[in-house]
Amino acid sequence: MFAATIALAKEAGLTAVAVGIETNRQLALARELECVVGQGFLLHGPAAPDRIRLRESSGSVTSAPWRPW
């Protein structure tokens, strides 16, 4: 289902976001499927709204805690 959702987003010209990445296996799968935006406890813990800032990365807007590979 994850692979199909990412493929559908790509086909529609949208950016898929991997939500809830909590294990290295989940992160590896997202990378394998070329999902370039994600969030989850493995990448960054919860943050207060005033501590989050948006930045532009590779043509898309992401939150500061996201670390692109």
Side-chain angles (χ1 to χ4, degrees):
M1 187 182 278
F2 187 46
T5 302
I6 292 170
L8 183 61
K10 285 181 183 179
E11 187 68 28
L14 302 171
T15 300
V17 179
V19 178
I21 298 174
E22 297 182 7
T23 67
N24 285 322
R25 177 63 191 128
Q26 291 169 335
L27 180 59
L29 179 59
R31 287 178 173 166
E32 182 180 316
L33 297 173
E34 299 178 8
C35 184
V36 297
V37 180
Q39 66 84 30
F41 287 112
L42 183 66
L43 302 172
H44 196 282
D50 61 332
R51 300 210 45 181
I52 296 175
R53 62 188 185 285
L54 296 180
R55 66 176 179 200
E56 202 155 326
S57 172
S58 302
S60 62
V61 177
T62 63
S63 65
W66 172 250
R67 291 173 278 181
W69 40 74

